[in-house]
């Protein structure tokens, strides 16, 4: 008797992604069209079609490699891959899951620190204000990454052109926003 | 007084290992109407069948139940034995205690009880069986072949050479089909027209074949052995009996701007034209949709002035002929997707992105560039060509999940032809897999790679765009760590998907044959009946059934022909008598049965009195068309129609017996 | 005529000129834009990268508020916000399990029936019919219309017809009297949300876009997304360094271009707020022939 492929307990990463996103990773037949059209195919450490291959094969060490890759953080979510995939594999949804899972398991690639810090600073600003406060975001990001001199040159221009407000615009019912953040952080596991 | 004989088969151990066959035989002997009951190891064997023959004679049996395998296996066998025993073969039924019982259960008492139930049910049926006699229908020994490509040509020649008449209908002005457009054929690189045109001439000269070109099937009715077909002969505007084929008309025609279908749109033709120099028949037709005389109210008329044979007739009308045939072979071929199907490759707007058939025409000595591969945009010879395989095929997102089968081979062929003509040129093939399963096929592809140095890259191309007169191809090599491979190409050839002809759905509905969601015609059984359809008497040959290459098409065509020839080997054919029949005294003429019959086998009968006055209407079943589905029986409100061999009485008898209720 | 409006964080901040020009054009054509009360950030790329439910919930709150306000249609000029709100609305409509969960976080019900419009949908529906009355100038320049990613993908939520070679923005530019050029990088990504954290990647990708536009004769680039604008405009110095070319063509929002053709003053359209000087574009304007 072999294990039924219809068991309700998805075990490996592939199974969890299929259950959470509805994307059938088994459909990918490795044609490479996603990689061929990806704007970052010269920068990624694991190419888009290779990511899917590793998910399909489920060999020891692959899950770890995937979650620790730079590719998942470099991905721009531009959807070029999904829009051209002949098998309709929505790779961008898979990428979202892998990013979230990488965070959940604490396996973020050290070189992606800047990118993750930016996202985190962004969300902190939203949690505090309901809308983006560019000043707050900038300060938070610089402190997290210690890129203190970054974009210093454009700050004066931004201010004078009225593109950078010193004081945040805030949502009135901030409690609602904070409740959203609290509730959505409790719902782990990523089922959708 | 019923005297049924019951024979329980052990089927080796297939049944006896799970069912207590001895007990079944014992219990069966107690059933009402059973005069004889026995069991035996192999009923289908010669001694087994002999038991039936002997038992009928000895015990004066009036019916037989053989409890064994599925009737699909051996109903014929046991009915033959029953006939040998001297009673009507339709008084024999099979009780399936193998597929329906021993093969799906474990050995328990309940299993044996189930077998007993099944046998009892069939005994109850057979007590109500009536003798039935095969229905004879006459056979018209003429075949209709729809389509004049290589498939139609092969089928027509096979049937004609067997001594039967063939009528071939082809909608283009000439026969030959897509094979006539090809440059060379794989794997031998034979010149396509050189091997095809002798066959075309043979068809036109064969005494048994009547060829109608520029003609289409208008309607079909009837049934196997007896089809009535109406053919529409489109007005050619040229009287072929007078035309000498001299060619003055199309040489002088001033309207030269019509895209030439034969050259896949790469060049233009005139309004009066023959599709290609070796056309059969080699007489021109006028394309009325584009001809100035017809579109501009009588202007021009040059061809008529030029024609010394006075063969041009602008007044000619479409005409219709009615023919009677016994079998139909459908060989209507395929269509190709064109480059406009691909948004990521330019929406068909880049002149130097072409499809496979366009490449064939470029490579062909009789093509628009006399066999020199040139860029359609500027006529220059490309220094490199990128071939993209699987363009549209195996592509769920584009709605074509199937493989088009021939493209791996013709792409290798195209790349080789280019390299043979341009030794210094570079040929790249972006592929996913290489499907080269035929005889000599894999060797052919290896030759392209190993000897002609065609560069095969495993990966799909994401996008092609134009830049400074070149085509920028963005691909990938999945065998080399998925490295992006970008090529600046002079020409891109897409191996586009094969699709059904755009008229297939309409034709299938006229023929009453099934088709799938892609409009390919459906074979009767994918493994064992590849050239027949579910409609008796209509066969399939070639790509109209599914994408395939020339050898497979020719094989299918000969197979279809053999079915037609088998049909024609008798002047009459026998049909299964399990058909519906109407009690027209009871029938109220509501004709609900006629409305629901899927085979159009029921029509209205006039019931007249002795003076010939119309009293009423009743339904009438055409036993030649009826397939015995029973839909009419279900619809009939007052039980005036019944199915022979599966009558209401027989069915009710089975059901009541299953419930162990008297009936 | 009044329709709903979702500015998103960029139109109130770094791309204020997009908002200014949109309002100027709408005002000229007699259309009032009513902002959604107490709208919040859509979550942008941060939310969907880090937390799926948050990515659905943040736009959902805005949608619920818009419904409460009685709005039936909202224009979302920022292409990325449009994408987030549409995807959220779609997911809520398709998956009732997710929908009940999100509704429970919000304590609000969402019907999911509001029609979401991109700026192009808005222009086609409300501005085209009256354009003739208001267009007085010809832009008289060659423009490259840049769609970026979010206006054409994912195909399930966008309504652009030719996703590989769209022509909707070109139609608008023809009305404005410009000559749109044929070019190949219309829908290639500019580098999106990596503008701050990986500026070199943005420089590379946006550089390719600029180069292709210029090599096809473009004198300006027209955009409909604040992120694209920022990458092509504010990041110009980094781009120039990356590709080693001195490209100075300005980047205009489509509403700015249309506004110029309607005779609206350049500073009212916020054209003085760009990093790359827009004078070259403004100077090309000529009066439209009667």
């Amino acid at each position: 008797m072999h294990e039924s492929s219809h068991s309700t307990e998805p075990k490996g990463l592939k199974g969890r992604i299929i259950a959470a996103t509805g994307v059938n990773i088994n459909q990918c037949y490795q044609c490479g069209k996603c990689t061929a059209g990806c704007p970052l195919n010269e920068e990624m450490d694991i190419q888009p079609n290779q990511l899917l291959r590793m998910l399909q094969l489920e060999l020891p060490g692959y899950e770890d490699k995937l979650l620790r890759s730079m590719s998942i953080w470099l991905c721009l979510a531009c959807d070029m891959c999904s829009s051209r995939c002949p098998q309709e594999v929505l790779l961008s949804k898979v990428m979202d899951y892998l990013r979230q899972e990488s965070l959940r398991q604490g396996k973020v690639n050290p070189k992606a620190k800047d990118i993750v810090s930016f996202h985190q600073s962004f969300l902190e600003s939203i949690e505090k204000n309901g809308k983006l406060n560019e000043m707050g975001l900038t300060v938070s990001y610089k402190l997290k990454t210690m890129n203190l001199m970054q974009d210093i040159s454009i700050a004066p221009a931004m201010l004078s052109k009225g593109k950078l407000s010193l004081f945040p615009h805030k949502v009135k019912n901030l409690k609602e926003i904070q409740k959203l953040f609290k509730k959505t952080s409790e719902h782990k596991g990523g089922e959708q | 007084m019923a005297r049924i004989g019951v024979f329980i088969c052990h089927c080796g151990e297939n049944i006896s290992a799970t069912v207590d066959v001895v007990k079944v035989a014992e219990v069966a002997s107690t059933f009402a109407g059973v005069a004889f009951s026995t069991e035996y190891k192999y009923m289908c064997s010669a001694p087994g069948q002999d038991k039936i023959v002997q038992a009928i004679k000895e015990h004066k049996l009036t019916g037989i139940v053989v409890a064994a395998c599925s009737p699909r296996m051996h109903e014929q066998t046991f009915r033959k034995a029953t006939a040998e025993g001297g009673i009507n073969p339709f008084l024999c039924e099979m009780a399936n205690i193998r597929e329906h019982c021993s093969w799906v259960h474990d050995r328990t008492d309940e299993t044996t009880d189930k077998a007993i139930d099944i046998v009892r049910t069939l005994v109850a049926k057979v007590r109500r069986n009536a003798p039935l006699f095969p229905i004879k229908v006459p056979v018209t020994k003429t075949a209709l072949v729809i389509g004049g490509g290589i498939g139609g040509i092969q089928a027509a020649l096979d049937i004609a050479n067997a001594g039967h008449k063939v009528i071939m209908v082809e909608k283009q002005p000439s026969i030959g089909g897509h094979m006539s457009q090809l440059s060379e054929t794989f794997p031998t690189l034979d010149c396509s027209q050189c091997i095809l045109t002798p066959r075309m001439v043979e068809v036109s000269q064969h005494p048994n074949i009547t060829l109608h070109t520029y003609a289409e099937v208008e309607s079909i009715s009837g049934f196997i052995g007896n089809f009535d077909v109406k053919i529409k002969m489109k007005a050619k505007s040229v009287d072929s009996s007078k035309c000498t084929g001299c060619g003055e008309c199309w040489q002088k025609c001033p309207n030269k701007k019509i895209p030439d279908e034969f050259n896949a749109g790469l060049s233009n033709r005139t309004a009066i034209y023959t599709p290609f120099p070796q056309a059969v028949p080699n007489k021109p037709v006028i394309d009325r949709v584009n001809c100035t005389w017809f579109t501009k109210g009588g202007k021009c008329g040059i061809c008529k002035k030029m024609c010394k044979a006075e063969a041009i007739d602008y007044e000619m009308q479409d005409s219709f002929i009615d023919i009677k045939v016994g079998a139909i072979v459908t060989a209507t071929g395929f269509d190709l997707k064109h480059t406009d199907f691909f948004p990521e490759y330019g929406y068909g707007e880049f002149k130097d992105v072409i499809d496979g058939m366009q490449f064939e025409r470029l490579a062909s000595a009789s093509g628009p560039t006399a066999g020199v591969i040139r860029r359609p945009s500027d006529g220059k010879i490309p220094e490199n060509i990128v071939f993209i395989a699987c363009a549209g095929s195996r592509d769920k997102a584009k709605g074509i999940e199937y493989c088009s089968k021939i493209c791996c081979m013709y792409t290798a062929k195209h790349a080789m032809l280019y390299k043979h003509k341009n030794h210094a040129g570079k040929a790249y093939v972006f592929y996913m897999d290489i499907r080269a399963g035929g005889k000599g096929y894999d060797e052919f592809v290896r030759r392209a790679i190993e000897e002609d140095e065609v560069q095969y890259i495993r990966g799909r191309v994401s996008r092609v765009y134009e830049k400074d007169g070149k085509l920028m191809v963005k691909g990938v090599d999945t065998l080399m760590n998925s490295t992006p491979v970008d090529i600046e190409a002079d020409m891109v050839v897409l191996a586009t998907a094969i699709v059904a002809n755009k008229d297939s759905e309409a034709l299938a509905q006229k023929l009453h044959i099934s088709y799938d969601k892609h409009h390919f015609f459906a074979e009767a059984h994918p493994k064992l009946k590849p050239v027949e359809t579910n409609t008796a008497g209509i066969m399939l040959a070639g790509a109209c059934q599914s994408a395939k290459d020339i050898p497979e098409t020719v094989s299918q065509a000969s197979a279809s022909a053999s079915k037609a020839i088998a049909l024609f080997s008798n002047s009459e054919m026998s049909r299964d008598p399990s058909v519906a029949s109407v009690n027209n005294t009871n029938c109220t003429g509501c004709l609900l049965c006629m409305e629901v019959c899927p085979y159009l086998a029921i029509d209205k009968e006039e019931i007249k009195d002795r003076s010939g006055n119309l009293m009423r209407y009743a339904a009438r079943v055409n036993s030649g068309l009826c397939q015995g589905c029973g839909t009419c029986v279900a619809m009939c409100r007052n039980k005036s129609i019944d199915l022979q061999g599966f009558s209401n009485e027989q069915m009710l008898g089975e059901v009541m017996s299953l419930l162990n209720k008297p009936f | 005529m009044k329709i709903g409006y979702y500015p998103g964080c960029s139109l109130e901040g770094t791309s204020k000129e997009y908002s200014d020009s949109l309002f100027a054009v709408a005002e000229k054509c007699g259309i009032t834009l009513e902002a959604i009360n107490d709208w919040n950030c859509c979550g942008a790329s941060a939310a969907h990268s880090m937390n799926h439910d948050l990515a659905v919930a943040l736009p959902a709150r805005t949608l619920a508020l818009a419904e409460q306000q009685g709005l039936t249609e909202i224009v979302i000029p920022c292409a990325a916000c449009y994408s987030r709100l549409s995807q959220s609305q779609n997911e809520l409509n398709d998956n009732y399990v997710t929908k009940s969960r999100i509704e429970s976080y919000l304590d609000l019900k969402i019907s999911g029936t509001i029609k979401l419009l991109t700026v192009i949908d808005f222009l086609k529906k409300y501005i085209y019919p009256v354009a003739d009355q208001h267009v007085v100038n010809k832009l008289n320049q060659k423009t490259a219309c840049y769609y970026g990613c979010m206006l054409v993908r994912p195909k399930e939520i966008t309504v652009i017809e030719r996703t590989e070679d769209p022509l909707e923005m070109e139609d608008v530019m023809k009305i404005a009297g410009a000559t749109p050029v044929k070019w190949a990088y219309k829908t290639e990504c500019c580098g999106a949300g990596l503008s701050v954290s990986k500026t070199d990647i943005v420089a590379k990708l946006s550089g390719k876009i600029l180069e292709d536009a210029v090599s096809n004769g473009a004198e300006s680039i027209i955009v409909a997304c604040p992120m694209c604008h920022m990458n092509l405009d504010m990041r110009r110095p980094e781009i120039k360094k990356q590709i080693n070319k001195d490209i100075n063509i300005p980047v205009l929002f489509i509403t700015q271009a249309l506004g110029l053709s309607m005779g609206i003053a350049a500073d009212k359209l916020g054209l003085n707020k760009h990093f790359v000087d827009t004078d070259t574009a403004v100077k090309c304007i000529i009066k439209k022939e009667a």
Side-chain angles (χ1 to χ4, degrees):
Chain A
M1 293 292 285
H2 60 271
E3 263 183 339
S4 165
S5 58
H6 299 292
S7 69
T8 49
E9 282 302 312
K11 284 188 299 204
L13 184 55
K14 175 176 92 165
R16 298 203 305 276
I17 296 181
I18 296 177
T21 64
V23 176
N24 189 349
I25 292 175
N26 295 321
Q27 271 167 210
C28 169
Y29 51 31
Q30 291 297 304
C31 72
K33 202 166 175 183
C34 49
T35 302
C38 175
L40 292 179
N41 60 17
E42 287 172 15
E43 272 79 13
M44 288 195 165
D45 52 350
I46 303 181
Q47 300 282 39
N49 70 294
Q50 292 177 321
L51 269 162
L52 285 166
R53 189 72 192 127
M54 291 168 81
L55 282 171
Q56 286 176 338
L57 277 176
E58 298 188 290
L59 291 180
Y62 277 0
E63 176 169 336
D64 202 66
K65 264 211 180 108
L66 282 172
L67 297 176
R68 291 188 196 277
S69 69
M70 266 308 279
S71 296
I72 60 178
W73 295 108
L74 287 175
C75 167
L76 299 163
C78 76
D79 258 327
M80 193 67 96
C81 48
S82 311
S83 76
R84 294 201 181 135
C85 176
Q87 287 288 78
E88 296 176 322
V89 175
L90 299 178
L91 186 47
S92 30
K93 284 202 173 156
V94 175
M95 285 295 204
D96 267 345
Y97 187 94
L98 287 172
R99 287 188 272 258
Q100 293 154 25
E101 185 71 8
S102 172
L103 281 165
R104 278 191 284 266
Q105 290 195 27
K107 290 185 175 169
V108 175
N109 188 312
K111 293 209 201 102
K113 198 177 84 140
D114 289 358
I115 301 176
V116 177
S117 298
F118 182 81
H119 289 321
Q120 282 169 336
S121 302
F122 189 102
L123 288 181
E124 277 166 18
S125 179
I126 306 300
E127 189 171 7
K128 275 209 195 82
N129 305 296
K131 298 180 190 183
L132 185 64
N133 167 18
E134 281 106 4
M135 278 301 254
L137 164 66
T138 314
V139 168
S140 162
Y141 173 69
K142 283 177 193 286
L143 284 175
K144 280 194 186 11
T145 58
M146 297 313 276
N147 294 345
L148 297 169
M149 300 309 286
Q150 180 171 342
D151 292 339
I152 281 272
S153 51
I154 53 168
M158 293 280 274
L159 276 167
S160 68
K161 289 178 196 285
K163 285 174 175 248
L164 204 54
S165 51
L166 289 167
F167 303 102
H169 305 276
K170 276 187 195 255
V171 158
K172 284 194 269 293
N173 288 322
L174 263 177
K175 278 208 171 53
E176 289 173 5
I177 304 290
Q178 278 146 12
K179 183 173 163 203
L180 278 183
F181 272 81
K182 182 159 180 292
K183 291 262 170 168
T184 55
S185 70
E186 284 163 12
H187 178 77
K188 297 277 183 208
E191 304 96 63
Q192 288 159 24
Chain B
M1 202 47 237
R3 294 181 59 77
I4 315 279
V6 178
F7 302 80
I8 317 292
C9 186
H10 295 221
C11 195
E13 285 216 330
N14 274 303
I15 298 178
S16 57
T18 324
V19 169
D20 183 349
V21 288
V22 173
K23 181 167 180 206
V24 176
E26 271 170 23
V27 173
S29 65
T30 66
F31 293 156
V34 173
F36 174 76
S37 176
T38 186
E39 34 76 30
Y40 183 64
K41 221 157 172 65
Y42 297 106
M43 280 306 299
C44 55
S45 64
Q49 292 179 49
D50 202 48
K51 279 192 185 305
I52 296 177
V53 177
Q54 294 312 317
I56 293 175
K57 294 182 180 149
E58 272 177 43
H59 299 275
K60 304 203 186 335
L61 299 177
T62 60
I64 308 286
V65 173
V66 181
C69 52
S70 160
R72 280 179 157 248
M73 291 286 296
H74 280 305
E75 188 171 74
Q76 293 276 62
T77 316
F78 296 124
R79 283 194 171 160
K80 226 168 109 215
T82 306
E84 264 183 69
I87 58 174
N88 186 287
F90 290 90
L91 298 170
C92 168
E93 297 276 357
M94 285 189 71
N96 185 342
I97 59 170
R98 190 181 75 172
E99 281 86 338
H100 287 183
C101 190
S102 71
W103 270 1
V104 295
H105 296 302
D106 300 320
R107 189 184 179 89
T108 62
D109 288 338
E110 279 146 334
T111 308
T112 302
D113 286 343
K114 178 172 170 179
I116 292 172
D117 280 345
I118 294 175
V119 172
R120 186 179 64 244
T121 311
L122 268 302
V123 168
K125 184 186 184 193
V126 169
R127 282 175 54 203
R128 293 160 175 91
N129 273 26
L132 295 174
F133 302 91
I135 300 165
K136 299 253 182 231
V137 287
V139 173
T140 308
K141 294 190 189 187
T142 304
L144 167 67
V145 174
I146 310 177
I150 182 63
I153 288 171
Q154 182 66 44
L157 288 173
D158 283 344
I159 298 173
N161 286 335
H164 303 293
K165 297 260 180 265
V166 177
I167 298 172
M168 179 186 274
V169 171
E170 163 57 55
K171 72 178 179 206
Q172 299 292 347
S174 165
I175 56 175
H178 283 305
M179 190 174 169
S180 61
Q181 292 175 283
L182 303 181
S183 163
E184 277 95 337
T185 56
F186 56 76
T188 48
L189 294 183
D190 277 319
C191 153
S192 182
Q193 288 213 2
C194 306
I195 55 177
L196 174 64
T197 46
R199 299 286 184 97
M200 286 163 60
V201 171
E202 212 185 322
V203 163
S204 70
Q205 293 180 343
H206 203 293
N208 280 344
I209 301 180
T210 310
L211 177 58
H212 298 299
T213 55
Y214 216 51
E216 290 179 32
V217 168
E218 177 75 9
S219 67
I220 300 177
S221 62
F223 53 99
I224 179 173
N226 300 273
F227 291 108
D228 291 303
V229 184
K230 195 187 271 296
I231 314 274
K232 175 164 133 182
M233 320 276 278
K234 297 189 296 203
K236 295 181 180 177
S237 314
V238 173
D239 185 342
S240 339
S241 61
K242 293 187 186 154
C243 170
T244 58
C246 70
E248 280 286 306
C249 52
W250 49 260
Q251 281 167 26
K252 295 289 192 293
C253 175
N255 189 345
K256 297 182 202 293
K257 287 279 164 62
I258 305 160
D260 186 350
E261 300 89 344
F262 188 77
N263 275 333
L266 287 176
S267 65
N268 292 332
R269 62 163 168 80
T270 47
I272 184 168
Y273 72 108
T274 52
F276 55 103
Q278 299 80 11
V280 167
N282 207 343
K283 309 265 168 87
V285 304
I286 295 184
D287 168 11
R288 291 188 173 187
V289 171
N290 289 300
C291 165
T292 313
W293 175 276
F294 292 97
T295 55
K296 296 237 162 71
K299 293 217 166 77
C300 185
I302 291 182
C303 54
K304 186 163 185 176
K305 294 193 196 93
M306 290 289 129
C307 179
K308 297 192 185 68
E310 293 181 16
I312 310 280
D313 178 6
Y314 298 127
E315 316 304 321
M316 195 188 280
Q317 299 295 316
D318 291 346
S319 62
F320 295 87
I321 58 169
D322 292 304
I323 58 173
K324 282 192 173 335
V325 298
I328 301 176
V329 175
T330 314
T332 48
F334 66 95
D335 247 339
L336 263 189
K337 276 290 183 205
H338 299 294
T339 52
D340 58 0
F341 188 56
F342 304 91
E344 70 273 40
Y345 302 149
Y347 289 101
E349 291 160 14
F350 301 152
K351 288 212 166 72
D352 297 324
V353 173
I354 61 176
D355 64 46
M357 191 55 89
Q358 289 175 316
F359 188 88
E360 292 281 348
R361 296 314 302 150
L362 288 176
S364 171
S366 63
T369 54
V372 180
I373 316 277
R374 290 185 189 282
R375 285 159 41 109
S377 62
D378 56 14
K380 294 208 179 100
I381 296 178
E383 285 170 15
N384 67 8
I385 302 186
V386 166
F387 296 89
I388 298 180
C390 286
S393 310
R394 304 177 63 190
D395 196 325
K396 194 203 284 201
K398 291 194 165 47
I400 302 179
E401 315 92 357
Y402 54 83
C403 164
S404 290
K405 200 161 188 194
I406 62 175
C407 341
C408 281
M409 284 303 290
Y410 77 60
T411 296
K413 176 185 78 173
H414 288 171
M416 285 163 79
L417 289 177
Y418 168 66
K419 290 288 287 181
H420 294 175
K421 293 178 201 256
N422 299 78
H423 296 299
K426 284 208 162 1
Y428 302 94
V429 176
F430 281 96
Y431 72 101
M432 280 212 285
D433 298 288
I434 300 184
R435 295 180 170 187
K439 191 167 181 178
Y441 283 19
D442 204 77
E443 297 91 314
F444 181 78
V445 179
R446 292 310 310 169
R447 185 178 142 195
I449 297 172
E450 293 167 13
E451 288 174 38
D452 293 317
E453 294 195 293
V454 175
Q455 195 66 257
Y456 269 69
I457 304 172
R458 195 204 173 271
R460 248 180 150 147
V461 169
S462 181
R463 190 183 174 204
V464 175
Y465 62 92
E466 276 182 330
K467 188 179 158 90
D468 301 330
K470 290 238 182 228
L471 294 161
M472 312 299 281
V473 175
K474 293 184 68 67
V476 68
D477 188 343
T478 61
L479 296 179
M480 277 300 291
N481 207 23
S482 293
T483 319
V485 173
D486 295 334
I487 300 180
E488 287 182 30
D490 285 332
M491 183 187 269
V492 171
V493 183
L494 304 179
T496 58
I498 292 217
V499 292
N501 252 317
K502 62 176 165 46
D503 300 325
S504 341
E505 188 173 30
L507 181 62
Q509 291 182 348
K510 283 181 192 161
L511 286 166
H512 284 119
I513 58 176
S514 311
Y515 52 97
D516 65 21
K517 68 175 175 180
H518 297 289
H519 295 182
F520 287 113
F521 300 148
E523 65 287 336
H525 189 281
K527 287 284 201 196
L528 299 179
K529 290 190 177 183
V531 300
E532 294 158 277
T533 60
N534 275 323
T535 308
I538 302 186
M539 273 69 75
L540 301 172
C544 61
Q545 184 241 351
S546 71
K548 56 177 64 73
D549 56 22
I550 293 168
E552 288 172 328
T553 298
V554 170
S555 305
Q556 274 204 335
S558 290
S560 288
S562 79
K563 304 289 178 198
I565 295 166
L567 179 61
F568 297 163
S569 59
N570 295 308
S571 305
E572 269 186 342
M573 51 175 276
S574 286
R575 293 199 71 226
D576 190 318
S578 302
V579 294
S581 101
V582 178
N583 174 347
N584 67 7
T585 353
N586 256 8
C587 174
T588 59
C590 74
L591 298 176
L592 265 175
C593 53
M594 186 172 92
E595 280 179 40
V596 299
C597 176
Y599 302 97
L600 306 182
I602 301 184
D603 67 355
K604 197 162 70 172
E605 185 181 17
E606 292 177 344
I607 309 291
K608 299 193 174 134
D609 67 19
R610 281 182 211 213
S611 324
N613 300 316
L614 176 64
M615 293 198 298
R616 59 188 173 83
Y617 294 107
R620 174 175 56 195
V621 176
N622 178 336
S623 52
L625 276 175
C626 174
Q627 301 286 329
C629 70
T631 309
C632 53
V633 179
M635 283 307 283
C636 182
R637 298 183 294 203
N638 67 349
K639 303 249 173 294
S640 310
I641 193 167
D642 212 352
L643 197 52
Q644 322 263 55
F646 293 91
S647 67
N648 288 317
E649 286 270 315
Q650 286 170 297
M651 294 295 98
L652 213 42
E654 285 195 53
V655 170
M656 296 305 259
S657 158
L658 262 179
L659 298 171
N660 245 323
K661 294 232 159 79
F663 178 63
Chain C
M1 179 90 62
K2 184 165 71 167
I3 70 166
Y5 167 62
Y6 176 77
C9 308
S10 306
L11 267 81
E12 286 206 337
T14 45
S15 295
K16 189 97 188 10
E17 62 271 20
Y18 193 6
S19 173
D20 291 343
S21 53
L22 173 68
F23 272 84
V25 167
E27 189 186 35
K28 203 157 235 278
C29 298
I31 297 166
T32 316
L33 298 171
E34 181 181 311
I36 301 170
N37 286 334
D38 212 28
W39 60 269
N40 57 274
C41 174
C42 70
S45 22
H48 76 76
S49 295
M50 315 273 279
N51 183 335
H52 166 265
D53 267 11
L54 186 65
V56 180
L58 282 170
R61 178 177 177 272
T62 301
L63 289 171
L65 291 174
E67 284 180 18
Q68 279 184 354
Q69 210 167 315
L71 297 168
T72 52
E73 256 187 345
I74 37 178
V75 58
I76 310 171
C78 169
C81 296
Y82 170 82
S83 189
R84 295 317 319 156
L85 264 72
S86 296
Q87 295 205 50
S88 175
Q89 189 183 63
N90 261 35
E91 188 155 350
L92 294 172
N93 287 344
D94 284 345
N95 188 331
Y96 69 88
V97 170
T98 307
K99 184 173 185 188
S100 18
R101 199 169 64 239
I102 303 289
E103 281 178 338
S104 75
Y105 299 159
L106 294 170
D107 263 331
L108 285 169
K109 288 251 176 269
I110 305 163
S111 78
T113 52
I114 291 197
K115 200 150 185 331
L116 306 176
L117 303 173
T118 62
V119 71
I120 298 184
D121 297 331
F122 167 76
L123 292 175
K124 272 172 103 162
K125 190 168 178 184
Y126 293 105
I127 307 298
Y128 275 30
V130 299
D132 274 335
Q133 302 164 30
H134 301 291
V135 171
V136 297
N137 293 329
K138 271 176 68 156
L139 287 187
N140 201 32
Q141 63 195 248
K142 300 212 190 99
T143 55
C145 293
Y146 176 63
Y147 293 74
C149 307
M150 303 290 163
L151 281 175
V152 295
R153 295 182 293 271
K155 288 189 282 211
E156 296 76 46
I157 65 161
T158 58
V159 290
I160 295 260
E161 275 183 38
R162 287 164 54 110
T163 51
E164 297 280 355
D165 183 35
L167 295 168
E168 275 84 343
M169 279 171 81
E170 276 82 346
D171 289 341
V172 177
M173 293 315 292
K174 283 192 194 150
I175 290 181
T179 313
V181 301
K182 272 172 95 100
W183 64 304
Y185 272 67
K186 281 189 204 185
T187 60
E188 298 284 330
C189 186
C190 65
L194 294 184
S195 192
V196 173
S197 46
K198 288 275 180 234
T199 318
D200 55 325
I201 287 184
V202 163
K204 183 173 169 202
L205 294 177
S206 292
K208 287 191 195 171
I209 294 166
L210 278 172
E211 274 185 300
D212 193 68
V214 165
S215 74
N216 280 289
E219 293 163 311
S220 59
I221 297 197
I222 311 295
V223 300
C225 168
M227 185 98 262
C228 301
H229 187 274
M230 179 160 93
N231 285 341
L232 289 165
D233 178 66
M234 190 177 95
R235 296 292 179 201
R236 190 65 62 93
E238 284 90 342
I239 295 176
K240 285 194 208 179
K241 220 162 73 181
Q242 169 83 22
I243 62 175
N244 206 14
K245 283 202 183 117
D246 196 31
I247 298 185
N248 294 307
I249 60 170
V251 188
L252 269 63
F253 283 104
I254 192 168
T255 39
Q256 290 176 318
L258 197 54
L260 282 174
S261 77
M262 291 183 172
I264 303 173
D267 53 338
K268 190 160 178 210
L269 296 168
L271 280 162
N272 50 351
K273 294 204 167 106
H274 295 196
F275 279 80
V276 177
D277 204 289
T278 55
D279 275 352
T280 52
V282 178
K283 285 203 182 91
C284 286
I285 296 172
I286 57 175
K287 275 260 173 292
K288 187 171 111 169
E289 298 102 47

